[in-house]
Amino acid sequence: MANATNGNGPRGRYLLTLSLGALGVVYGDIGTSPLYAIRESFYGPHGIEVTRGNVLGVLSLIVWSLIIVISIKYITIILRADNKGEGGILALMALVQHGRMDRAAPHRAFLMLGIFGTALMYADGALTPTISVLSAVEGLQIAAPALASWIIPLTLVILVGLFMFQRRGTAGIGAVFGPVVLLWFVTLAVLGVSAILREPGVLAAVLPQHAVRFFGENVARGFIVLGAVYLVVTGGEALYADLGHFGHRAIQLAWFSTALPALLLNYFGQGALLLRDPAAAVNPFYLLAPGWALYPLIVLATAATIIASQAVISGAFSLTRQAVQLGYSPRVKIEHTSSREIGQIYVPAVNWGLMLATAGLVVGFGTSSNVAGAYGVALSSVMVITTLMFYLVSREIWHWSFLQSALVVGLFLTVDLAFLSANALKIPQGGWFPLVAGAVVFTLLITWKRGRVLLYSRLRERAVPLDILLADIIAEPPQRVPGTAVFMTPNEGSTPPALVHNLAHNKVLHQQVIFLSVHTEDVPAVPPQQRVQVNDLGHGFYWVTARYGFMQDPNVPDILERAKGQGVESRLEATTFFLGRETLLATERPGMARWREHVFSFMSRNAQRATAFYKIPPDQVFEVGVQVEM
């Protein structure tokens, strides 16, 4: 069969279809780098002189960066570090937690790195749309200099429209992403070849000796240019995050057959143009095109950058769901925009936050060149974190020898740290933004995680052991009323405070009582047949444990339906759900700084209601309030 799959993954027509989809989603970010990468090397405050040696040196750096960072590091090796088929820094962090660490301290350090990398990805979610759309619209300066004043307003209109569209979902337009980006890559290749034919000597840049000579002549200059060269590999982390959507074979095929050749041809073409006309450094990408093609090229570039931005925004939505499920974020409203694709989600709070951030960045920075420094700092930091976490995976999960891990990770880390150091020079010129934004998000993530641990600990301190309560009920049975009561609790073995309050005030129990605990595992998905486990406690009491992956959404009615096959008999319409509603009080008790307790309390008050998050019928819920001193 032409579109069959086998034990080694998809093949034939199905593999080609997946590869086309991967072009549209995975390579939108890295595919739009030609808009600004070469220009940042030779134009602006950090630009270097356009000479033959400099052009060949920069091109050689670009070629070998794409080979080492993207082709070898991400495409060949990092994509293998999947968590049940899912990629991305949170999936890698969950995978790391399965490692057999001899000491807790290194494990915690890697965990903190993963959380900080997650925080930086939110900064990337704002920076990618900003630099991509701005750089595309800036082509108007080349086509019609009189329209330069329209660049910022038009960019804002496009970005606001993009974020306004998110609630509709991307399922309807997702089918056109691949063909549009394929057209974009074909255009990149054609523009590049046309310039290379006029200056074929530029192909000599494929030899690494030009990069070595470039650095050897002026180390300081070469180091500064590295920050601009890094822009050609900024989509590496995005392609790893999208692993679960397409699989490594489709991503690899799309890269080596289409994306990499097109990018190299375009970069060589821009270099050839600079060798013939150094003044073209003002915008070598658009100046590759003949005059009649400028406006169509601007439209195509804008479409490509919108698609690249769409992929990053959707990634931020998925990242948020993973953070909620893994306990690093309060519950937020998550809307499913497709009945067929579980990954098609919309998170309003994240969407509007990113929209305000991108609008502020456009107005604050003004040009894509000014944004480039901030953009490089964010993603080069994430790449270093990914490499460090990969070391643990290679040692603890794959069981590589120390020498093998050290050689591979050492090569990647040398390149990554060089890029990070070069981008760090731009911290005063805007590189501070992702670091500040990342620090804020990091603080919120770890505060929520720590706060939930403390809250559960405080609740356990005052909870009645379940076996004692059951013994008391058996000894002095209260009145039992028809129906089922469900008490949600994370603390197994302890009586939910809501049950104690119900007994104390109402003096009755339902005929059937279910204690329900919902846990999130460190895997993307838990198969349906393994999701629900029932423990019969006797006398009409059951403990139901439900397990979900961090890419799944919990559903209480579905859990109860699955529990029916394990001895629990209940009708949803005859079920009452008892939920605890905690009022948190900041105190001087050991555990967390007082200001963090106030932050945690604020986040808790503004979290999505449990009824909506767990899909519980709201008219069948009984909430019991309790004060908890943090």
Side-chain angles (χ1 to χ4, degrees):
M1 293 180 62
N3 59 349
T5 61
N6 56 27
N8 296 321
R11 57 188 176 88
R13 185 181 304 167
Y14 182 51
L15 177 59
L16 292 178
T17 301
L18 281 178
S19 299
L20 181 61
L23 273 182
V25 176
V26 176
Y27 294 114
D29 188 359
I30 197 170
T32 53
S33 297
L35 284 165
Y36 43 78
I38 292 284
R39 183 191 65 201
E40 292 305 310
S41 299
F42 294 98
Y43 186 73
H46 300 289
I48 60 174
E49 183 183 1
V50 181
T51 65
R52 185 176 185 83
N54 287 348
V55 170
L56 294 180
V58 169
L59 284 177
S60 187
L61 285 173
I62 288 174
V63 170
W64 289 99
S65 295
L66 287 171
I67 291 174
I68 295 174
V69 177
I70 304 299
S71 299
I72 298 177
K73 176 184 173 180
Y74 279 99
I75 298 292
T76 304
I77 297 180
I78 294 291
L79 285 186
R80 294 174 53 207
D82 67 289
N83 189 339
K84 305 293 184 181
E86 291 291 336
I89 195 161
L90 265 183
L92 184 61
M93 188 180 77
L95 187 64
V96 161
Q97 294 185 69
H98 290 299
R100 300 189 308 276
M101 293 295 292
D102 296 328
R103 293 173 294 167
H107 186 276
R108 179 171 175 77
F110 279 107
L111 195 62
M112 290 297 103
L113 278 175
I115 298 170
F116 187 64
T118 300
L120 287 174
M121 290 302 290
Y122 283 100
D124 176 44
L127 288 165
T128 293
T130 302
I131 191 172
S132 298
V133 177
L134 255 179
S135 60
V137 178
E138 282 172 348
L140 289 174
Q141 292 182 109
I142 305 300
L147 297 177
S149 60
W150 285 86
I151 290 175
I152 290 181
L154 184 56
T155 300
L156 289 173
V157 168
I158 292 172
L159 288 173
V160 169
L162 174 63
F163 284 103
M164 293 290 289
F165 187 81
Q166 295 304 310
R167 67 175 60 196
R168 299 175 180 266
T170 58
I173 61 172
V176 305
F177 279 12
V180 170
V181 176
L182 177 60
L183 176 61
W184 169 253
F185 278 120
V186 170
T187 302
L188 290 182
V190 170
L191 291 175
V193 169
S194 64
I196 293 171
L197 291 177
R198 301 178 189 176
E199 189 71 40
V202 74
L203 295 175
V206 74
L207 300 174
Q209 66 196 51
H210 292 286
V212 174
R213 178 197 49 75
F214 177 74
F215 261 99
E217 291 179 353
N218 192 326
V219 175
R221 176 199 60 184
F223 196 67
I224 292 174
V225 170
L226 266 186
V229 171
Y230 175 76
L231 296 173
V232 308
V233 298
T234 51
E237 201 63 36
L239 71 87
Y240 177 44
D242 286 316
L243 173 62
H245 294 288
F246 303 98
H248 70 277
R249 292 190 66 186
I251 292 175
Q252 290 171 339
L253 178 61
W255 173 251
F256 288 112
S257 69
T258 305
L260 178 61
L263 288 170
L264 289 177
L265 288 172
N266 193 265
Y267 286 129
F268 278 121
Q270 291 188 46
L273 174 63
L274 292 178
L275 291 179
R276 290 188 296 107
D277 181 12
V282 64
N283 201 318
F285 174 78
Y286 280 113
L287 290 173
L288 274 179
W292 61 266
L294 266 180
Y295 285 108
L297 184 58
I298 292 172
V299 172
L300 179 60
T302 303
T305 56
I306 288 174
I307 290 172
S309 302
Q310 174 64 62
V312 172
I313 295 168
S314 298
F317 294 161
S318 297
L319 195 66
T320 301
R321 179 169 66 177
Q322 294 178 37
V324 170
Q325 296 295 73
L326 291 172
Y328 290 98
S329 168
R331 297 184 299 266
V332 295
K333 184 178 182 181
I334 298 175
E335 300 176 6
H336 288 265
T337 58
S338 171
S339 59
R340 294 183 300 173
E341 299 292 336
I342 190 172
Q344 294 285 341
I345 60 174
Y346 167 65
V347 184
V350 174
N351 187 65
W352 303 128
L354 288 178
M355 186 184 78
L356 292 175
T358 55
L361 288 169
V362 169
V363 174
F365 284 100
T367 68
S368 59
S369 293
N370 293 336
V371 181
Y375 190 48
V377 169
L379 289 179
S380 58
S381 300
V382 175
M383 282 191 174
V384 170
I385 292 171
T386 298
T387 300
L388 292 172
M389 295 179 72
F390 171 74
Y391 171 78
L392 185 59
V393 171
S394 69
R395 292 281 289 146
E396 304 296 335
I397 307 297
W398 294 355
H399 308 295
W400 284 9
S401 68
F402 171 77
L403 181 60
Q404 185 179 8
S405 294
L407 288 175
V408 174
V409 173
L411 170 63
F412 296 157
L413 200 57
T414 299
V415 176
D416 290 343
L417 288 176
F419 281 133
L420 177 60
S421 301
N423 281 295
L425 298 175
K426 300 179 181 179
I427 289 178
Q429 289 79 42
W432 55 267
F433 170 79
L435 298 179
V436 171
V440 171
V441 175
F442 173 78
T443 301
L444 294 176
L445 293 175
I446 62 172
T447 295
W448 181 259
K449 183 72 170 181
R450 177 60 179 161
R452 295 301 291 179
V453 171
L454 278 178
L455 175 60
Y456 295 155
S457 175
R458 303 292 191 247
L459 290 175
R460 276 195 300 270
E461 290 174 1
R462 50 199 293 184
V464 178
L466 185 59
D467 54 353
I468 294 178
L469 180 76
L470 292 179
D472 290 343
I473 290 174
I474 294 171
E476 298 181 23
Q479 182 180 349
R480 307 293 287 258
V481 296
T484 300
V486 175
F487 295 88
M488 296 193 67
T489 174
N491 294 325
E492 297 191 20
S494 299
T495 304
L499 173 58
V500 176
H501 283 279
N502 183 51
L503 271 176
H505 295 285
N506 297 327
K507 315 296 183 185
V508 296
L509 271 179
H510 285 72
Q511 200 66 42
Q512 183 174 246
V513 178
I514 297 174
F515 302 113
L516 175 59
S517 294
V518 179
H519 300 292
T520 300
E521 303 295 318
D522 292 333
V523 295
V526 173
Q529 62 272 20
Q530 301 175 16
R531 188 168 299 158
V532 177
Q533 179 181 353
V534 177
N535 184 17
D536 189 347
L537 305 176
H539 304 280
F541 287 84
Y542 298 88
W543 198 290
V544 177
T545 304
R547 291 181 170 82
Y548 286 85
F550 56 76
M551 294 293 288
Q552 296 175 308
D553 298 325
N555 186 315
V556 167
D558 180 68
I559 293 171
L560 296 180
E561 187 65 28
R562 294 182 183 279
K564 287 182 179 180
Q566 302 182 48
V568 176
E569 296 299 332
S570 63
R571 293 181 300 113
L572 184 61
E573 61 272 15
T575 300
T576 302
F577 298 87
F578 290 82
L579 303 178
R581 189 164 183 83
E582 302 91 5
T583 299
L584 308 178
L585 304 176
T587 67
E588 296 293 343
R589 293 186 63 181
M592 198 160 59
R594 187 121 183 213
W595 67 268
R596 291 181 67 192
E597 292 179 355
H598 284 293
V599 171
F600 175 71
S601 179
F602 175 81
M603 296 170 72
S604 183
R605 289 195 303 271
N606 290 276
Q608 185 188 30
R609 300 287 294 272
T611 50
F613 185 78
Y614 291 107
K615 314 296 189 296
I616 301 172
D619 56 350
Q620 295 173 229
V621 173
F622 188 87
E623 289 193 339
V624 179
V626 58
Q627 285 191 340
V628 180
E629 293 184 352
M630 296 296 292

